[in-house]
Amino acid sequence: MQTVLVTGGAGYIGSHTILELIDAGFEVVSVDNYVNSNSSTYDRIFELSGKRIDYYEVDLRDLEATKQIFTDHPNMVGVIHFAALKSVPDSVANPIFALDNNNSSLNNIAKCCVEFNVPNLIFSSSCSVYGNVMPEDLPVTEQTELKKAESPYAYSKQNGEVLLEFLTNVSDLHAICLRYFNPVGAHISGQIGELPSKRVNNLIPVITQAAAGVIPHFTVFGGDWPTRDGSCIRDYIHVTDIANAHVLALQKQMDGSYTECFDIINLGSGDGVSVFEAIAAFEKASGVKAPYEVGPKRDGDVETIYSNPQKAAEVLGWIPKYGIDEMMSSAWKWQLRMKELGIAKHKMD
Ligand code: NAD
Ligand code: WQD
C-alpha cells in the first residue's frame, strides 16, 4: 500500500482530503496537535469510510517527534502539508507565534522529506499570497505578481512557497503549492465539516450559525463597495473539490508525468460571488433566513478576488464538481449535525 502523510489531518480541509485519499486507495497517516481541531474527527472519518487510520498527536515544530513519524512509515510516497494556523486576525495580533508555527512546521516537514527520501510534497498555500489585488489583476492567474503580504499569515505562505522552490532546486523533492481561494461547505453527507476550537470569522460559518440561532445575527462588512450589489466578491469553492485536487496532484506527481519539480496552481472556480449573493444562495438552499445587518467595512478586506482556474484544469484535469447550491446545502447540513452532536455552540465560543 502507498502511504501518504497528511499533516493537520484532523482539521477542516485535511479531514476531507483523508476521505478522498482513502477513496483513491491510499493508506493514510495523519498528524495534528489539535490546536484548532479535535481527534473526534477520526471517528467521523471511520463512520464515513469504514477505515481507521493511523494518527499521531505531534506538534510539527518538534523535529524529533516529526522524524519518528517518518521512521515509522518507510513506505511513505508523499506528504500533504495542511498544518498551519490559518486565522488572519490572530496572526496580526500574534505575528511571531503564527510565523513560527507555520514556518517551523513546514521546515521540519521539508527536512524530513529530504532526509527520508519522500519524493512528493503538496503544500497548502492561499490566495492571500497575492496581497491587495487590483481590478486590472482579475481574474488572478499563477503569473499575477505577488504584492506585499497583508498579514503575517499571508507572509508565512509566501515564505513557504519560496522555501520549497529553493529546496526543490537542490534536492530530489517535488513540490506543488496549491493556492486555495475560499474553501467552504462540508462533506456532501453533512457528517463531517469544519469544527474549529476557536470562534470562526469566515462568511459561510457565520451565515449558518446565524440561521441556526447560534449567534443572533452577523454583519455584512460593507454595503457600498463599488461592485454590482455593493458587497465584496470572492471565489468560493467546495471543500471536497479542494480535497480532490490534492489527490489528483499527488497522483500526477507519482505517475511520473509531472515535468516540473516545483509548481504553483490556483484552486478556485473562476466565478465571483458577492456576499449578498452568498446569503441568497444559502437561504434558497436551506429554506431558512440568516439574520444580518450591514455594517462598516472590515480592515484588510479587498473588494474583489477570483481565480482563473485554467491551469488546474490543464495540468491536473481538475474541474470543480460542486456549485454554490451544494456548498450552502452541505454547510447547512453540517451546522444541523453539530447541533445534534451538541457541539454547535461551545466550540464557537
Ligand atoms: P484547520 O485549522 O481546520 O486545519 C489545520 C490543522 O493544522 C488543525 O487541525 C490544527 O490543529 C493543525 N495544526 C496547526 N499547527 C500545527 C502544528 N504546529 N503541529 C501539528 N498540527 C498543527 O484549517 P484548514 O481550513 O483545514 O486549512 C488547512 C490549510 O489550508 C492551512 O495551511 C491553511 O492555511 C490553508 N488554507 C486554508 C484556507 C481556508 O479558508 N480554510 C484557505 C487557504 C489556505
Ligand atoms: C469572505 C467575504 C468578507 C464575514 C479568508 C482569508 C484568506 C483565505 C480565505 C486562508 C469577505 C465577508 C465575512 C462576516 C462578511 N484563508 N464577510 N461578514 O476574507 O475572503 O479570506 O479566507 O488562506 O487568506 O483572509 O474570507 O470568509 O472571511 O470573507 O461580510 O462576518 O465575506 O468581507 O468579503 P476572506 P471570509
Side-chain angles (χ1 to χ4, degrees):
M1 255 308 198
Q2 291 164 319
T3 302
V4 180
L5 175 64
V6 176
T7 77
Y12 175 45
I13 306 174
S15 56
H16 289 78
T17 303
I18 290 174
L19 285 169
E20 296 301 298
L21 286 165
I22 292 172
D23 210 37
F26 288 100
E27 190 72 32
V28 181
V29 178
S30 175
V31 53
D32 206 298
N33 66 351
Y34 312 124
V35 63
N36 194 36
S37 58
N38 188 296
S39 64
S40 68
T41 301
Y42 301 120
D43 297 332
R44 286 187 286 281
I45 289 174
F46 172 64
E47 281 158 24
L48 277 169
S49 68
K51 188 103 181 143
R52 284 242 175 252
I53 64 158
D54 194 6
Y55 61 89
Y56 291 75
E57 180 174 354
V58 162
D59 187 324
L60 293 167
R61 289 172 296 174
D62 178 342
L63 179 59
E64 289 315 309
T66 304
K67 279 186 178 177
Q68 190 58 51
I69 305 171
F70 284 74
T71 306
D72 292 350
H73 296 278
N75 295 332
M76 216 184 271
V77 292
V79 179
I80 305 184
H81 181 55
F82 293 106
L85 293 172
K86 69 168 172 177
S87 163
V88 173
D90 286 0
S91 80
V92 172
N94 201 338
I96 293 179
F97 185 56
L99 282 169
D100 175 48
N101 187 75
N102 295 0
N103 292 338
S104 303
S105 299
L106 176 64
N107 290 350
N108 286 345
I109 283 294
K111 266 183 212 163
C112 288
C113 284
V114 173
E115 184 176 331
F116 290 84
N117 297 314
V118 176
N120 303 308
L121 175 60
I122 296 174
F123 174 59
S124 294
S125 190
S126 156
C127 63
S128 62
V129 298
Y130 290 108
N132 206 351
V133 178
M134 295 293 136
E136 59 272 20
D137 297 325
L138 296 168
V140 174
T141 74
E142 292 77 2
Q143 275 73 48
T144 302
E145 191 195 340
L146 304 193
K147 305 224 167 61
K148 179 177 161 286
E150 293 288 314
S151 66
Y153 168 78
Y155 184 54
S156 77
K157 295 296 179 185
Q158 290 182 346
N159 274 341
E161 291 189 356
V162 172
L163 168 76
L164 292 177
E165 184 165 16
F166 281 126
L167 186 61
T168 52
N169 281 335
V170 293
S171 69
D172 293 332
L173 185 67
H174 290 65
I176 302 177
C177 302
L178 296 176
R179 289 179 180 159
Y180 322 149
F181 279 65
N182 288 59
V184 297
H187 191 264
I188 219 71
S189 65
Q191 298 299 306
I192 198 163
E194 183 162 22
L195 186 59
S197 311
K198 299 175 184 165
R199 174 176 285 279
V200 285
N201 305 302
N202 298 110
L203 180 65
I204 310 308
V206 299
I207 292 178
T208 61
Q209 285 176 20
V214 174
I215 54 174
H217 63 270
F218 69 98
T219 302
V220 172
F221 297 137
D224 58 355
W225 293 90
T227 57
R228 52 184 177 259
D229 63 11
S231 65
C232 289
I233 293 176
R234 295 288 182 273
D235 188 341
Y236 299 97
I237 184 92
H238 193 278
V239 63
T240 296
D241 280 321
I242 294 272
N244 185 249
H246 293 76
V247 179
L248 292 174
L250 186 65
Q251 285 171 332
K252 181 104 187 155
Q253 284 178 323
M254 287 173 58
D255 73 15
S257 64
Y258 215 96
T259 49
E260 310 291 337
C261 54
F262 173 81
D263 211 355
I264 291 175
I265 300 178
N266 283 344
L267 295 183
S269 72
D271 279 335
V273 171
S274 77
V275 175
F276 290 127
E277 288 164 352
I279 298 168
F282 169 78
E283 293 184 344
K284 179 166 163 269
S286 67
V288 179
K289 286 266 170 219
Y292 67 87
E293 58 184 23
V294 179
K297 290 175 179 162
R298 177 171 71 174
D299 278 351
D301 265 343
V302 293
E303 171 210 305
T304 300
I305 182 165
Y306 56 92
S307 160
N308 177 332
Q310 204 179 333
K311 184 169 176 184
E314 281 173 9
V315 176
L316 302 179
W318 181 73
I319 308 286
K321 198 165 139 194
Y322 299 113
I324 193 78
D325 291 348
E326 286 114 336
M327 295 179 210
M328 296 301 172
S329 56
S330 59
W332 182 234
K333 269 195 200 168
W334 172 240
Q335 183 69 51
L336 297 177
R337 180 69 182 141
M338 283 194 285
K339 200 170 185 178
E340 274 172 20
L341 294 169
I343 50 180
K345 178 132 177 63
H346 75 275
K347 285 289 176 197
M348 303 301 166
D349 286 338

